[in-house]
Structures are given as structure tokens and as C-alpha cells.
Amino acid sequence: MAIKYEKLIPRFLEYAKQNTRSDENSTTIPSTERQTEFLKKLAEELMEIGMNDVKIRKVDSYLTAELPSNIDYDVPVLGLLSHVDTADFNSENIKPKIVENYDGKSVIKLDEAGKYTLDPAVFASLKNYAGQTLITTSGDTLLGSDDKSGVSEIMTAMEYLINHPEIKHGKVKIGFGPDEEIGTGADHFDVKDFGADFAYTVDGGPVGQLEFETFSAAGLKVHITGKDVHPSGAKGIMVNSMLIASEFQSMLPADEVPEMTEGDQGFYLLCDEQGTIDHTDMSYIIRDFKRDGLEARKNKITEIVKALNEKHGEGTVKIDMKDQYYNMYDIMKDHMDVVRIAEEAMKNLNIEPDEAPVRGGTDGSTISFMGLPTPNLFAGGENMHGRFEYVSEEAMEKAVDVVLEIIRLNSQKK
Ligand SMILES: [Zn+2]
């Protein structure tokens, strides 16, 4: 079978090898310089393939470019977005591995020794990829298909249209941004400057995913101050901040954690904890599909802090709690035409849309609330954010097909 998008996979492999991990604890924007470096390379490539108006914004290194319309009537301006950063997992020296013509049942060794494997008995999704070519990690890093797949797919779709001027299309704006994984990537997004009427993030999982309902989200930092004295004379004086941290965690509902919830259930997730007797810092994420559900969870935190400070002394527990994004359906419900175009594109390509609410969020959640309706399309990856991440070539090709079909549908004379 002829390869439809020659550069799609080489492009992805090259992008994947570049370390673009973001850093939640950084105070710079973007959070890591390596993201800006990568965005600069992408800007060069966009110019090489012939995109117009390639710009990197100073404030956050957000990269945008334009594919001008080649039709003589107006259609809505379509935006396509993805993010360049990768999740909080080792991303040094990523060595993507290719498994050609996977049989859908074998156990794939990731590292030489076989300590880490992709086993269909554990990861049932592997069975869906019989006959396809998989790209996996070598066991010690993530792959970064989230979201280098999306970047490669958008780049390839643009190149395809530029190389096929006989395909008629309206104006397309594209954007590649930093820091999605730490929830701040879209904070400085400029809807007006971007100039699209509607957009999609190409940042979803397996083929068919079409997401327009997300969590509402808050981030929480907890700072607990103890008092460290020599154990010999500690009675009545020592305050062990780590024990108060345990107390804090024990006051949260034990079953409202990611590993015990699914569907429309929310959770509290303790992501990080660093402690000494003197001081303990904890990081949580709080998630709920409903806005009032998120508020109720935040109130619960405030009550726990109050109770612990009453018990251990005012100022023992301090928190910093911030809303991160809201369920994009609150906006999308008034813009379902944007979802319908994506559904139609998938159906035209014999892809069944999977519209399950996403137990996460995307830059599109934030951007939708800024006034640009932005649902999320699949980019193809599986098992995101860790060493078991993989993506198939065929899934990535389908993502490019869907993007091109959406552009085609949007470009029809109304
Ligand atoms: Zn992503």
C-alpha cells in the first residue's frame, strides 16, 4: 500500500526524540527553555513547508501560522492546536521503537531485558492494532505521543494541502503551544490575535475520540509547618508536619481517588509530597465534571484546613488553591455545530466517533471559555504519560485524514 503521508512518521520520530518536558515547579513561561527551542525548530519547519505569517509570541513562545484560503468565497476560519510539552515522566534520551505488522496478541518487550512489556493481557487495547505498525518506548521514558502525534499530524496536514493546491480550502490557522501538561499552556492564548472562528485541539487518544466534555479542575498546594526539636526533650513541644500531612489526607474520602473512580465521578489526587518534621508540602489535583461539584470539593478542603488549624494552632496548615479549567461543555452546548462537523468528517471516513466525557482536560477547555469553541480530536496515542505509551502509524494517518476532511467540509459553499 502506498504511503499517503510520507513524512508523517519520520517527522513524529524526530519530534519524539526531543526532550520537551514541562516543569510544574518552574516559575518561567514557558516552564522550560527546551520547549521554546523546539517551538523555534517547528517555526522554521512551518516556513520551509510554505506556511504564512509564522509567529512566536514573546510572552509564552506560543507558535502560530496561517494557511491562506484558496477559494473566492468566505467560510469560517478553522483553527488547529496541539501542545509540544510532554508529561511528568522521564523524557531524557527517548528512543522510539517500531514494531512492524503487530499481530495483536504477542507480548512486546520494551527494554532489552524485558523488564517492561506491552502485554495484551494487561493492555487490552493492543488487540485493536493487529496488522498495524506500532511505535513504542524503550521502557525507560515516555514516548510523548501526547502530543507530538498531534503536532506531526497538523504539520503533515498543512504540508499536504500546500503540496496539493487543487484541494480547495478556507483559511486555516494553526497553533503549537507549551505547558499543556501543567495546565497553564493556554493561559496567555490570544483568541483575537489567533483569528479563528472555531478550533480543535488534536490532542486526544485512540482513533474516534471526539471530546467536548471535560473535568472542571482545581490545583491545590498544602504547606504544613511543624516544629523540630531533639526527640529527647520533645514532649509537648515537637510538631511533626509529616504526621499532620497524613491527618490531612486521611480526612479526605478514601474512595474518591482516581484508582477507585470512573465515568462521571470526581476525585482528589495527591500527586506529590515532600516532608521533614519541620515542613511538609503536598500537591493535589481536584477534579469533578460539575461546577458545583468542584465547589463542594474545594469547600471540603477549606473545612479540613480549618479543623486542623483549630487542633494544631492557627497557621499550621496553609493552602494555595486555584481553579485550573472548567468543563468545556458549558460552552460547547451552544456550539454543537463545531462537534457536528467533526462527527461528519469521521463518519465520512468510516470512523465511529467516541464522545465519552474525558476524565481530564485540555487546552481547549481554557480556550473555549475564552470564547473560541475548541473540542478535542483524537491524535492516536494509547497509555499516555508513561513508559507504556504507544501509537500506531495507521492511527496517526487517520488523524491526518480527519483533519483534512474537516477542512474540506468547512470549505464547502453554504
Ligand atoms: Zn496532551
Side-chain angles (χ1 to χ4, degrees), residues 83 146-147 180-181 203:
H83 65 91
D146 178 9
D147 190 24
E180 194 269 352
E181 299 292 357
D203 188 20

Side-chain angles (χ1 to χ4, degrees), residues 46 49-52 67 157-165 169:
L46 286 168
I49 68 167
M51 292 290 284
N52 281 26
L67 178 72
M158 294 302 101
E159 184 185 46
Y160 189 83
L161 290 175
I162 291 166
N163 291 342
H164 292 83
H169 57 81

Side-chain angles (χ1 to χ4, degrees), residues 82-83 85-87 145-148 180-181 202-204 361-363 376 384-385:
S82 56
H83 65 91
D85 64 316
T86 58
S145 165
D146 178 9
D147 190 24
K148 304 275 177 58
E180 194 269 352
E181 299 292 357
V202 185
D203 188 20
T362 67
D363 279 347
N376 188 30
M384 287 165 183
H385 295 192

Side-chain angles (χ1 to χ4, degrees), residues 150-205:
V151 177
S152 315
E153 288 151 9
I154 293 173
M155 184 73 82
T156 300
M158 294 302 101
E159 184 185 46
Y160 189 83
L161 290 175
I162 291 166
N163 291 342
H164 292 83
E166 72 280 7
I167 302 173
K168 297 300 165 197
H169 57 81
K171 189 197 280 186
V172 181
K173 304 286 294 195
I174 67 158
F176 297 141
D179 289 338
E180 194 269 352
E181 299 292 357
I182 59 169
T184 58
D187 285 1
H188 302 272
F189 190 83
D190 187 335
V191 168
K192 200 161 162 264
D193 181 66
F194 188 56
D197 296 306
F198 68 109
Y200 303 91
T201 47
V202 185
D203 188 20

Side-chain angles (χ1 to χ4, degrees), residues 48 97 99 216 247 343 386:
E48 272 165 33
K97 287 173 60 168
V99 181
S216 288
E247 211 179 339
E343 282 172 348

